[in-house]
Amino acid sequence: MHAQIKNTGKLPPGGSATALTDGRTRAQREELLGWALVLPSVAIILALILYPVLYNIYLSFYQVNLSGASRFVGFLNHREVLGDREFWNALLTTIIYVAFSTVGATLLGLGTALVMNEKFPLRGLVRSLILLPYVAPVISVVFSWQFFFDPVNGIFMDIFYDKLGWFSQRINLIGSPATAVWVAIIFSIWKNFPFAYLMILSRLQAIDQNLYEAAEIDGAAGRHKFLYITLPEVYFVVNAIILLRVIWNFNKFEEVYLLTSNVKVLSVYTYLKAFTGAMDLGQGATLAVLQFILLIGFILFYVKRVIKW
Amino acid sequence: MVTGKRPLRKIGFALLVLSIVLFCIFPFVQMLSLSLKYQWDWGNPSLIPSRLNFDAYKELLNIGQSLKNVPESIINLLDESPDLTPAQRSAILAKYQDTGDVFPFLKYFGNSLVLSLSAALFSVILAVFGAYSFSRLRYRGRAVVQRGVLMVYMFGGILLLIPLYKVFVSIGLLSTPTGTFIGLLVIYMVQTLPVSLYMLGNYFRTIPFSIEEAAMIEGASRFGTIWRIIIPLSISAIATVYIYSFMIAWNEYLFASVFLKSYKDLYTLPIGLKTLFVSKNAIWDRIMAASMLTALPVMALFMTIQKNLTGGMAAGGVKE
């Protein structure tokens, strides 16, 4: 931030009022160049992100026909979606999925960051290994997780049925919606906790060590140092992580759909509605709009009530 | 904590680190192990294969596949008739080679590679100019542009998928393979563009303006300073952003699955793998080998840029 103010505060040589040969001032030319350079990016973002979002709202009022004219139906799609039991089931699944995966990934990230902030041999290697789940393509890791929970060959059942006897028989945890959602949550935590870990670790490294020294002189115990120094210092970044993770996990599609076909969170439900079977794009658009409204509502609530900006 | 003298604590800490590492890499280890096991070995919970089996990799990479599925008698026949020309030989072999059953891994790999490399390239080129604009130049509306770019964090793929699909179908873009490819390319580019803009913008701000100022006093134009000063000075950041964009495109499934549905020849690795898994169930060795080979380029790239990328990620420059 500081660098930004310093750099942009300085005007190019010549000063802003100097009239140049083409009749424009330096400031005007800078404005023109600024827009010219950013315009391609802005145009493409407007055309391919902002316009589709608005067009999506428009589509939600139509019975969409891919090959012919679409028919205006008013709020019919909205009424149908809200009257559909499956929508409410999907919403409930989404809330469970988002809540547990976000809290899990954030807590595990916090714990890991605290551990990785200590000095120990091979720390550099360990730190980069931890990031592997986050960078690996979803498609390349889902099969390994499916195999892990595979009822016939999987290691999970080998340990918890054969060795420990916690289950009465080998069961397919990914096979039924009630248990598959928990598999999806564990997978999401595994895949995404490195993000929380990384953000928190970089915040921990920025804490002034004098604070801890001063606390030690005052005779503070380890847990007091954690409660009264570390936690307040990471409070903001943890909140930011929770906010981002809720947004991202709420919109997640691949990490659920590729792992199991039995967990119908809203994004998966929308995808199935819009692109399989009858391909009802109008209802799909309606679902997408409702998701977006829910998300905006949550963001406003969280920012106003929890972070208190 | 570790500096404490109590050995018990030390051991406990070591176990903690070990369990975190195991949790992170276990799926990868299992993937490697399974890709090298024979079918009769799958149920064996040990991660070390009883006997190594490289068939899955050979099949995916198309190594030594020319005689596969050819009956023994035909091979013998060919061996016993040395007067056949090479053309006749391959004609006979081609009859028996069952190409329909082979998973065209290399083709999908190539599709993914071309798509990701070019999407990342366009994204970075646009981002260099855009980021320069809002990190260096002053104009009305700059703050709006900068903040607007960050809004993209809120839009999930599914929200954009339906309208973009409808638009692309309406303008006929999806009716030809080339059009479909371009459509997907543009989408991948725009998905990574906001993050590229943000990360590069942050980096450009750390380059002292005085260097550019000196060049401009010498008579260099704005484009001259971008080309000769900004780009060389931030080449590592640009490489990082490029690889990050590459990874996003390489991993993408949602748009590819909808757009490429009717173009099997254009399949990228993620849809290819998904179809392989659905069509031929329980061929764990091949699935795992394909998973390994899909993950490897990304892992290798990540390791090379790890230091820069983690810095950028911690500074908030990521989107999922």
Side-chain angles (χ1 to χ4, degrees), chain A residues 28-191:
Chain A
Q28 277 173 326
R29 289 206 347 161
E30 187 161 312
E31 174 149 3
L32 218 63
L33 183 69
W35 271 109
L37 289 181
V38 86
L39 202 63
S41 302
V42 170
I44 208 160
I45 288 175
L46 285 181
L48 288 163
I49 291 180
L50 194 66
Y51 169 72
V53 170
L54 298 176
Y55 186 53
N56 190 56
I57 299 173
Y58 169 88
L59 282 180
S60 71
F61 293 102
Y62 280 79
Q63 178 97 52
V64 179
N65 190 343
L66 269 181
S67 46
S70 300
R71 194 163 55 86
F72 181 79
V73 291
F75 282 97
L76 181 70
N77 285 327
H78 303 76
R79 281 205 304 273
E80 273 180 11
V81 166
L82 292 176
D84 188 354
R85 266 195 90 81
E86 273 192 79
F87 166 75
W88 296 102
N89 284 339
L91 182 61
L92 186 67
T93 313
T94 310
I95 291 171
I96 293 172
Y97 174 75
V98 171
F100 283 94
S101 60
T102 300
V103 170
T106 311
L107 286 181
L108 189 59
L110 178 63
T112 308
L114 289 172
V115 171
M116 291 304 137
N117 203 27
E118 304 289 331
K119 284 197 183 67
F120 59 88
L122 293 177
R123 189 172 67 166
L125 176 71
V126 169
R127 278 185 179 175
S128 49
L129 285 180
I130 289 177
L131 295 171
L132 286 183
Y134 190 65
V135 293
V138 180
I139 190 75
S140 70
V141 286
V142 286
F143 299 120
S144 190
W145 278 90
Q146 284 177 354
F147 183 78
F148 182 70
F149 288 109
D150 185 79
V152 182
N153 297 315
I155 294 172
F156 184 83
M157 277 298 151
D158 184 71
I159 294 172
F160 289 98
Y161 168 73
D162 288 23
K163 306 254 156 70
L164 297 175
W166 288 11
F167 291 91
S168 58
Q169 57 181 22
R170 284 175 171 265
I171 50 173
N172 188 358
L173 290 173
I174 296 188
S176 82
T179 47
V181 67
W182 296 101
V183 175
I185 287 167
I186 292 171
F187 177 70
S188 171
I189 292 173
W190 175 80
K191 186 99 181 61

Side-chain angles (χ1 to χ4, degrees), chain A residues 127-136 198, chain B residues 243-244 246-247 295-310 313:
Chain A
R127 278 185 179 175
S128 49
L129 285 180
I130 289 177
L131 295 171
L132 286 183
Y134 190 65
V135 293
L198 196 64
Chain B
I243 292 174
Y244 181 74
F246 174 89
M247 280 161 48
L296 270 181
V298 176
M299 306 277 199
L301 284 175
F302 171 73
M303 286 300 168
T304 61
I305 59 156
Q306 196 227 330
K307 277 243 157 56
N308 296 324
L309 186 65
T310 50
M313 273 156 90

Side-chain angles (χ1 to χ4, degrees), chain A residues 34 134 144 245 252 254 271, chain B residues 27 30 133 205 253 257 320:
Chain A
Y134 190 65
S144 190
R245 280 257 63 91
K252 265 303 173 239
E254 276 118 328
Y271 178 84
Chain B
Q30 178 180 255
S133 163
R205 286 191 193 104
Y253 173 83
S257 79
E320 284 174 24

Side-chain angles (χ1 to χ4, degrees), chain B:
Chain B
M1 236 184 265
V2 251
T3 46
K5 282 150 205 129
R6 280 172 290 182
L8 222 86
R9 257 197 124 146
K10 243 179 170 167
I11 294 170
F13 185 80
L15 282 177
L16 196 61
V17 172
L18 199 68
S19 54
I20 294 173
V21 171
L22 263 183
F23 177 64
C24 289
I25 66 167
F26 178 79
F28 298 101
V29 176
Q30 178 180 255
M31 203 192 289
L32 180 65
S33 143
L34 202 55
S35 72
L36 296 171
K37 277 183 179 177
Y38 280 98
Q39 182 163 4
W40 45 263
D41 209 9
W42 289 347
N44 170 13
S46 161
L47 286 174
I48 300 157
S50 310
R51 242 175 61 205
L52 287 179
N53 166 25
F54 291 99
D55 288 355
Y57 287 98
K58 280 187 194 153
E59 190 183 312
L60 291 176
L61 297 174
N62 207 10
I63 299 168
Q65 298 297 301
S66 58
L67 292 181
K68 205 186 162 199
N69 294 330
V70 179
E72 197 94 353
S73 56
I74 301 294
I75 297 175
N76 288 339
L77 190 77
L78 284 176
D79 286 342
E80 286 156 12
S81 30
D83 46 331
L84 285 173
T85 65
Q88 282 170 316
R89 259 166 207 282
S90 46
I92 293 172
L93 283 177
K95 263 190 192 164
Y96 293 95
Q97 276 162 12
D98 185 2
T99 45
D101 196 40
V102 177
F103 177 63
F105 180 83
L106 289 174
K107 184 196 257 175
Y108 297 167
F109 193 93
N111 290 342
S112 271
L113 201 64
V114 172
L115 200 58
S116 311
L117 285 176
S118 29
L121 181 68
F122 290 127
S123 165
V124 166
I125 291 173
L126 285 180
V128 165
F129 292 112
Y132 182 84
S133 163
F134 62 58
S135 64
R136 275 291 194 269
L137 301 165
R138 292 202 304 174
Y139 48 89
R140 271 165 290 164
R142 187 182 68 169
V144 178
V145 172
Q146 252 176 308
R147 253 177 252 141
V149 162
L150 284 181
M151 284 278 288
V152 177
Y153 274 80
M154 287 190 312
F155 303 136
I158 197 84
L159 184 64
L160 305 174
L161 177 62
I162 294 169
L164 282 174
Y165 179 70
K166 174 81 173 79
V167 171
F168 283 12
V169 167
S170 304
I171 61 175
L173 202 61
L174 298 187
S175 51
T176 61
T178 329
T180 308
F181 189 81
I182 292 172
L184 213 50
L185 184 76
V186 174
I187 286 175
Y188 289 177
M189 185 180 78
V190 75
Q191 297 252 312
T192 55
L193 186 57
V195 178
S196 308
L197 279 169
Y198 186 76
M199 281 169 86
L200 283 180
N202 279 347
Y203 192 82
F204 290 167
R205 286 191 193 104
T206 64
I207 302 173
F209 184 64
S210 50
I211 304 177
E212 271 178 84
E213 209 172 12
M216 280 193 281
I217 290 171
E218 301 287 324
S221 67
R222 279 283 182 181
F223 282 101
T225 56
I226 294 177
W227 184 245
R228 298 229 177 76
I229 294 169
I230 294 289
I231 292 180
L233 279 180
S234 49
I235 197 72
S236 71
I238 292 175
T240 305
V241 171
Y242 180 83
I243 292 174
Y244 181 74
S245 307
F246 174 89
M247 280 161 48
I248 298 261
W250 183 265
N251 299 350
E252 209 279 336
Y253 173 83
L254 179 61
F255 281 93
S257 79
V258 171
F259 282 36
L260 300 179
K261 215 185 295 174
S262 44
Y263 298 108
K264 237 182 149 89
D265 282 347
L266 288 179
Y267 271 18
T268 56
L269 276 179
I271 349 173
L273 255 69
K274 171 86 175 162
T275 13
L276 172 71
F277 188 71
V278 173
S279 61
K280 306 172 195 173
N281 231 327
I283 36 158
W284 290 109
D285 55 338
R286 269 184 287 175
I287 285 282
M288 293 299 163
S291 296
M292 273 317 275
L293 294 172
T294 306
L296 270 181
V298 176
M299 306 277 199
L301 284 175
F302 171 73
M303 286 300 168
T304 61
I305 59 156
Q306 196 227 330
K307 277 243 157 56
N308 296 324
L309 186 65
T310 50
M313 273 156 90
V318 266
K319 179 179 186 285
E320 284 174 24

